Amino acid sequence: MASRNGVAQRGAVKLDRPVSFRTSSFKSRLPPSQSPGNGSAVRRSSPALFGSAGSKDDHAVPGRVRVAVRLRPRNAEEMVADADFADCVELQPELKRLKLRKNNWDLDTYEFDDVLTEYASQKRVYEVVAKPVVESVLDGYNGTVMAYGQTGTGKTFTLGRLGEEDTSDRGIMVRSMEDILADISPETDSISVSYLQLYMETLQDLLDPTNDNIPIVEDPRTGDVSVPGATIVEIKDQHSFLELLRCGEAHRIAANTKLNTESSRSHAILMVQVKRSVLGREDDVSSENGDPSHLTKPFKPLVRKSKLVVVDLAGSERIQKSGSEGHMLEEAKCINLSLSALGKCINSLAENSAHVPFRDSKLTRLLKDSFGGSARTSLIVTIGPSPRHRGETASTILFGQRAMKVENMLKIKEEFDYKSLSRKLEIQVDKLIAENERQHKAFEDEVERINLESQKRISEVERNFADALEKERLKCQMDYMEAVKELEEKLVSNQKPNHCLVDGKWNGEGPGLSVSKEATELQELLQNEIDLRKMAEEELKNLKGQLGLYTQSEAGGDAEILKLHKLLEEEAQQKKKLEEEIIILRSQLLQSNFEAEQMRRCLDRDGSGNGFTGLDSSMPPVRNSYPKDIGNGQKAPVSTLFEQVGLQKILSLLESEDANVRIHAVKVVANLAAEEANQKRIVEAGGLTSLLMLLRSFEDETVRRVAAGAIANLAMNAEANQELIMAQGGISLLATTAADADDAQTLRMVAGAIANLCGNDKLQTKLRSEGGIKALLGIVRCGHPDVLSQVARGIANFAKCESRACTQGIKSGRSLLIQDGALPWIVQNANDEAAPIRRHIELALCHLAQHEVNAKDMISGGALWELVRISRDCSREDIRSLAHRTLNSSPTFRAEMRRLRIDY
């Protein structure tokens, strides 16, 4: 036995290919499909019975397993040994038919999807057998190409030939990867490869020989089979893929037998994972006035995942002919057993049997999706011409005939690309923030410029007016002083004697003439003064007119300032609107990250979870807080949103007129309330009051559901918060919400909030008087296990507080739960199948039974039998012991058990 050191040593089988004939392949009669990844033009046809690439994931398309047969030419040994005998098969490729000789005169005829002669080229074999499967893989379907036949008939040559010496010899593995790499987009798509071998029922990694026992894992929900321990290598180009094949072939087990000098002793399995991104369209988000906004609401991008499996089966052999012995004999037994198990599965599927024995072999488990599953499968059966091996040839042909009867249901697997959506939202948020900052800075600069210009113009006008007024005042003052001075001089001159002596005689003028002249001059002076006064009044009027113009210009400046203030208010409103849009986008980013985290957790739990379908993934759980750290020390998205936006801003959005903004805001507050570190700050900022107002004011189911969940988180631990909820009428609001709601999720949130309040000793009487217990009992109409679990938890908390109060002497009398009619429901569900419901009710029964005054009611209600069962059969030791102590300590219970002859 030896390890295969490369394909260059494979010389046992040599096919001559002088001519490539055009024959029919698995062509489709359907219109060609579009490439899902990059939206390119029509590229190829897909078979009609496999559907188109645009099929939805939930629409299965029937598709039969396609089978082609390939004849190997005679080798040198057969040319000598069988020289006098004709070939045992006769091919009719044009009719897709072959005839198997039973004897010299009788032949059996078989029809296949394609018949390939010994002259068929490797390219034609690929186009007929594998290319349609590769095209389906690129369209999003799973695909399988498998070779089956006797040892030495050319299976490995057909599938795994690298074509290093002659490129035309390239096999299906190499040609498939060439087509895949040519079709994908390196920016958005990815290819990863695993290479395994199944050797003696042990799955081994051909890329890592130390990994020699890989487990096979089957998803219990979907039935998908995977090998998580296998080495996965990402492929970027054809060269790296060829190096990977060389590495794998070097580690594959091979040996020299009588039938084949290099016989494969293991089944080789090449798995190619193809991941393609499907581009989604985007819708414009319209603003309130109907104009399209610069925001867009993207559809969730899709990732289409498909898998190509190429299986090179080890050849079937008869021990007498192969001459295997020792360890090789054990290898041959394992090979024949796995092929026999595969044949049984094919027979069961072909006959539509109710049971298909896939678990009889690891090979059939790995090929479960290929036969009867959701993959498109092509099988090539290889045969030899020698009449000495007619029995093996006939067995191979019959295997192919049965495989043609197997029907698969093809499905496309699509998943939401949360990472791409998250990146896109982050980029959009950053762009909005940057644009808002730029607009705000430009607006502030423009306002500052206008203010400076206005102040400059006002100062200049005030200065000019003051200078002109001062000049006119000084001019009027000077004119007035000059006029007074002239009048004084004239008055002085008028007081002098009006006559004079000339040459000792009086002059000829008399006193009457002098006085008359003087009066005339005074009248002229008076008239001049009057004219000057009129001129001064006109000048003063002109100055007043200028002052009025200045006042009007100043009023115009005030109007311009008012206009600027109005523009400033409009910009502030726009800024507020942008901030609301930014918060919406941040909450969408939080939503997508949270959904991805929830999906990953659900997948890790192998499909088993305590939640129920249909619940809103954005809601925080009633009893579990949102994770504080995500990834490598990074803060949770909700904490990041808290720090960037601010609590007061988030709480203010709860009163927004926009319904979408209000819904996003209450979801953010609910997620913040899930973290204990934020609860005190939320209550101090008035968040609890706002949440209660939402319950009181809004009838929107989503708002009420999320608000109830947030109140449940705030009421989880802090007694101060619980008392504040009760003081503000919270229990009445929760009871009203429970009475009006029909949605299971809303009822679970309300029941969780009331259950948390039931655990406070100080609130027992008030909680009951305001209808808390009645509300819990009314919620049981929903019947959902998660809702009933919260109801049972609330009753257990209430009964525990009552028991503690009775023990301390604070309370006496019958239980409030029994008075409100809760006992029949407790007894009815005490042995419920759901473990959380059963555990809480068992605790409630034990706490009720600890108070002797409740014993008669419990006996008449049938609770005694349940207490006896709990003391004997309860799975929890602490509850079982509590029930045992309670029965022993109660005289009433002991007397009734003696009367009923219950051995205890």
Side-chain angles (χ1 to χ4, degrees):
M1 184 182 301
S3 295
R4 184 165 296 169
N5 295 320
V7 296
Q9 297 179 1
R10 273 187 242 164
V13 178
K14 179 66 176 178
L15 299 182
D16 297 326
R17 297 159 302 280
V19 181
S20 295
F21 295 95
R22 294 174 60 104
T23 61
S24 62
S25 62
F26 306 153
K27 298 297 181 181
S28 172
R29 291 185 292 242
L30 286 180
S33 60
Q34 294 281 346
S35 173
N38 49 21
S40 62
V42 175
R43 57 176 174 81
R44 59 186 178 272
S45 62
S46 296
L49 48 81
F50 292 100
S52 64
S55 298
K56 295 296 182 185
D57 191 15
D58 54 351
H59 295 317
V61 180
R64 178 174 59 80
V65 174
R66 312 289 289 183
V67 181
V69 61
R70 185 182 193 185
L71 177 64
R72 171 182 59 78
R74 289 193 177 192
N75 55 32
E77 189 267 335
E78 291 172 343
M79 288 181 181
V80 175
D82 301 331
D84 297 332
F85 301 95
D87 291 349
C88 66
V89 292
E90 178 183 336
L91 303 184
Q92 294 177 331
E94 65 281 355
L95 300 177
K96 299 183 180 179
R97 180 187 302 167
L98 70 81
K99 294 183 179 181
L100 177 65
R101 296 182 185 277
K102 298 175 65 176
N103 46 49
N104 291 334
W105 58 85
D106 193 9
L107 298 92
D108 289 333
T109 302
Y110 301 94
E111 291 185 356
F112 289 91
D113 294 300
D114 266 290
V115 175
L116 303 169
T117 68
E118 63 269 32
Y119 303 108
S121 66
Q122 290 280 76
K123 180 179 180 182
R124 184 174 168 231
V125 172
Y126 170 73
E127 291 178 347
V128 168
V129 177
K131 188 170 184 178
V133 178
V134 173
E135 291 176 351
S136 293
V137 170
L138 291 171
D139 288 337
Y141 297 95
N142 289 342
T144 302
V145 179
M146 188 170 68
Y148 178 90
Q150 183 189 8
T151 181
T153 54
K155 298 184 298 301
T156 303
F157 180 87
T158 301
L159 295 181
R161 192 74 168 180
L162 298 183
E164 294 177 319
E165 299 176 356
D166 186 355
T167 56
S168 64
D169 285 347
R170 289 168 297 150
I172 288 176
M173 291 182 181
V174 178
R175 293 177 186 269
S176 299
M177 185 56 65
E178 289 176 353
D179 281 358
I180 292 174
L181 288 171
D183 193 80
I184 68 165
S185 173
E187 292 80 11
T188 59
D189 305 335
S190 64
I191 306 172
S192 57
V193 172
S194 299
Y195 201 10
L196 312 172
Q197 71 172 354
L198 183 61
Y199 175 67
M200 296 187 70
E201 283 302 302
T202 302
L203 194 59
Q204 301 177 357
D205 197 335
L206 289 175
L207 304 180
D208 183 9
T210 60
N211 191 7
D212 57 358
N213 190 10
I214 301 174
I216 300 175
V217 178
E218 183 173 350
D219 192 327
R221 294 176 301 150
T222 63
D224 293 341
V225 176
S226 61
V227 282
T231 301
I232 300 176
V233 179
E234 189 169 353
I235 300 300
K236 296 296 184 181
D237 51 36
Q238 188 70 9
H239 176 72
S240 61
F241 178 68
L242 292 176
E243 289 297 327
L244 181 144
L245 289 182
R246 291 190 189 97
C247 176
E249 289 296 324
H251 296 116
R252 189 177 177 188
I253 305 299
N256 185 3
T257 67
K258 291 180 180 180
L259 297 178
N260 189 358
T261 57
E262 195 175 354
S263 175
S264 301
R265 313 307 291 171
S266 64
H267 307 297
I269 303 152
L270 177 71
M271 295 183 178
V272 182
Q273 304 280 351
V274 180
K275 183 189 295 185
R276 310 197 72 176
S277 296
V278 181
L279 299 179
R281 64 183 180 88
E282 295 181 349
D283 291 341
D284 291 336
V285 178
S286 298
S287 60
E288 294 180 357
N289 57 6
D291 298 331
S293 173
H294 61 283
L295 292 175
T296 57
K297 183 179 180 182
F299 281 4
K300 291 183 178 178
L302 300 177
V303 175
R304 187 169 288 171
K305 296 181 179 180
S306 56
K307 177 173 65 175
L308 173 64
V309 180
V310 183
V311 184
D312 180 12
L313 295 174
S316 60
E317 61 182 60
R318 293 188 178 180
I319 307 302
Q320 296 84 353
K321 293 184 178 182
S322 64
S324 299
E325 57 184 13
H327 187 69
M328 290 176 57
L329 179 61
E330 297 299 322
E331 293 175 340
K333 289 180 180 178
C334 289
I335 293 172
N336 289 336
L337 284 174
S338 60
L339 293 178
S340 175
L342 179 60
K344 291 179 181 179
C345 293
I346 296 294
N347 290 339
S348 299
L349 291 170
E351 296 171 358
N352 292 324
S353 298
H355 171 67
V356 181
F358 282 115
R359 304 189 68 84
D360 287 358
S361 171
K362 288 187 178 181
L363 176 63
T364 53
R365 290 183 64 191
L366 287 171
L367 298 179
K368 182 178 180 181
D369 190 50
S370 303
F371 293 98
S374 61
R376 177 180 182 182
T377 302
S378 286
L379 172 67
I380 180 168
V381 295
T382 58
I383 59 175
S386 175
R388 291 179 298 157
H389 305 303
R390 183 194 172 283
E392 289 81 355
T393 301
S395 175
T396 301
I397 292 173
L398 291 176
F399 179 87
Q401 289 287 298
R402 290 190 297 269
M404 290 176 66
K405 299 178 182 179
V406 178
E407 288 278 348
N408 291 351
M409 298 301 291
L410 312 184
K411 292 182 181 180
I412 291 179
K413 183 178 181 182
E414 290 179 345
E415 296 178 357
F416 292 128
D417 190 358
Y418 290 102
K419 293 183 179 179
S420 175
L421 177 61
S422 175
R423 288 194 301 269
K424 192 170 184 179
L425 289 175
E426 286 179 352
I427 293 173
Q428 197 169 1
V429 168
D430 292 339
K431 288 183 179 179
L432 285 172
I433 292 174
E435 180 66 22
N436 183 34
E437 290 179 349
R438 285 194 296 269
Q439 292 182 359
H440 185 68
K441 183 64 169 62
F443 175 75
E444 288 182 346
D445 294 342
E446 181 67 16
V447 170
E448 184 177 1
R449 185 188 65 79
I450 294 175
N451 285 335
L452 291 175
E453 185 176 352
S454 300
Q455 292 177 2
K456 183 177 180 180
R457 289 177 57 187
I458 291 172
S459 300
E460 184 177 357
V461 171
E462 289 178 348
R463 186 170 56 254
N464 293 337
F465 177 75
D467 293 343
L469 190 62
E470 182 66 21
K471 288 180 180 179
E472 289 299 324
R473 188 184 66 78
L474 292 175
K475 182 179 179 182
C476 291
Q477 186 176 3
M478 293 297 295
D479 293 342
Y480 175 76
M481 292 178 65
E482 290 177 358
V484 170
K485 185 176 180 181
E486 289 179 0
L487 289 174
E488 289 179 350
E489 290 177 353
K490 289 180 180 181
L491 181 61
V492 170
S493 62
N494 289 333
Q495 291 176 355
K496 291 181 179 182
N498 292 325
H499 60 277
C500 58
L501 181 63
V502 180
D503 296 332
K505 297 181 179 181
W506 296 98
N507 57 9
E509 298 176 350
L513 182 61
S514 175
V515 171
S516 176
K517 185 177 180 180
E518 189 66 28
T520 302
E521 290 178 356
L522 289 174
Q523 288 179 353
E524 291 177 355
L525 289 175
L526 181 60
Q527 186 64 37
N528 291 335
E529 288 297 327
I530 291 173
D531 293 339
L532 288 175
R533 182 172 180 177
K534 289 181 178 180
M535 292 176 61
E537 289 176 352
E538 291 178 356
E539 187 67 23
L540 181 61
K541 186 177 181 180
N542 291 334
L543 290 176
K544 288 182 178 180
Q546 292 180 4
L547 179 61
L549 292 176
Y550 166 75
T551 305
Q552 291 179 359
S553 65
E554 186 177 7
D558 292 338
E560 188 172 1
I561 291 174
L562 291 175
K563 184 178 180 180
L564 290 176
H565 281 298
K566 185 176 181 180
L567 290 175
L568 183 61
E569 291 176 356
E570 292 177 355
E571 289 294 330
Q573 292 178 357
Q574 185 177 4
K575 177 182 177 183
K576 181 179 179 181
K577 188 174 182 181
L578 287 174
E579 290 176 350
E580 292 180 351
E581 293 174 344
I582 290 172
I583 293 176
I584 292 175
L585 290 174
R586 291 183 183 277
S587 65
Q588 290 179 352
L589 176 61
L590 167 67
Q591 177 79 7
S592 64
N593 288 334
F594 188 74
E595 287 178 355
E597 180 68 15
Q598 290 295 100
M599 177 174 289
R600 181 186 67 77
R601 291 183 177 179
C602 290
L603 291 176
D604 291 342
R605 291 197 299 267
D606 294 331
S608 62
N610 296 326
F612 51 89
T613 60
L615 293 184
D616 189 356
S617 60
S618 68
M619 283 303 303
V622 174
R623 294 189 59 82
N624 296 318
S625 62
Y626 193 88
K628 294 183 179 179
D629 295 320
I630 298 177
N632 298 324
Q634 299 179 356
K635 292 185 177 180
V638 67
S639 301
T640 305
L641 182 66
F642 193 0
E643 295 176 358
Q644 293 180 355
V645 178
L647 180 59
Q648 289 295 339
K649 184 63 177 178
I650 296 173
L651 293 178
S652 66
L653 295 180
L654 293 175
E655 302 175 359
S656 174
E657 297 179 357
D658 191 336
N660 292 329
V661 174
R662 189 167 59 249
I663 290 174
H664 283 291
V666 72
K667 287 184 178 181
V668 171
V669 173
N671 284 321
L672 289 172
E675 297 185 30
E676 188 175 355
N678 300 330
Q679 293 178 358
K680 183 177 179 181
R681 297 176 61 185
I682 292 174
V683 174
E684 291 176 351
L688 178 57
T689 303
S690 300
L691 291 171
L692 292 173
M693 286 296 297
L694 290 178
L695 283 183
R696 180 181 293 108
S697 304
F698 292 98
E699 296 181 357
D700 184 85
E701 187 70 22
T702 302
V703 173
R704 296 171 69 180
R705 177 172 67 250
V706 181
I711 293 172
N713 286 332
L714 292 176
M716 189 178 301
N717 297 317
E719 291 186 0
N721 294 349
Q722 296 172 352
E723 294 174 359
L724 184 59
I725 291 172
M726 295 295 295
Q728 296 187 9
I731 192 64
S732 300
L733 293 174
L734 292 172
T736 303
T737 304
D740 296 339
D742 294 324
D743 179 51
Q745 186 180 0
T746 304
L747 292 174
R748 181 173 72 91
M749 297 301 171
V750 174
I754 297 176
N756 291 337
L757 294 174
C758 286
N760 192 323
D761 296 338
K762 302 176 183 178
L763 307 177
Q764 296 282 294
T765 304
K766 187 174 182 181
L767 189 144
R768 186 246 182 164
S769 63
E770 293 184 7
I773 298 176
K774 293 289 186 181
L776 278 179
L777 295 177
I779 291 174
V780 301
R781 70 182 185 277
C782 174
H784 196 282
D786 285 350
V787 179
L788 297 182
S789 176
Q790 294 299 326
V791 174
R793 183 170 69 86
I795 290 176
N797 288 343
F798 197 94
K800 182 178 180 180
C801 292
E802 274 194 332
S803 175
R804 188 162 48 235
C806 291
T807 303
Q808 296 173 357
I810 300 174
K811 180 186 179 301
S812 62
R814 295 169 61 215
S815 169
L816 298 178
L817 290 172
I818 296 177
Q819 294 180 28
D820 279 358
L823 186 59
W825 184 85
I826 295 174
V827 174
Q828 181 182 355
N829 294 271
N831 199 15
D832 196 276
E833 294 180 356
I837 300 175
R838 185 175 64 252
R839 184 177 68 253
H840 290 311
I841 292 180
E842 288 174 348
L843 282 172
L845 280 173
C846 292
H847 289 309
L848 288 174
Q850 286 181 335
H851 194 34
E852 185 68 19
V853 74
N854 298 328
K856 292 184 179 180
D857 291 312
M858 296 184 70
I859 291 172
S860 62
L864 176 60
W865 296 100
E866 293 299 330
L867 285 170
V868 173
R869 179 192 60 78
I870 294 170
S871 66
R872 294 175 177 176
D873 302 332
C874 182
S875 59
R876 288 185 50 173
E877 177 64 25
D878 55 340
I879 300 178
R880 193 165 61 248
S881 300
L882 179 60
H884 191 275
R885 290 196 307 270
T886 302
L887 290 174
N888 285 333
S889 62
S890 173
T892 306
F893 285 144
R894 289 202 307 272
E896 182 66 16
M897 286 189 292
R898 284 194 301 269
R899 188 182 70 82
L900 296 175
R901 298 182 180 179
I902 299 176
D903 295 331
Y904 189 75

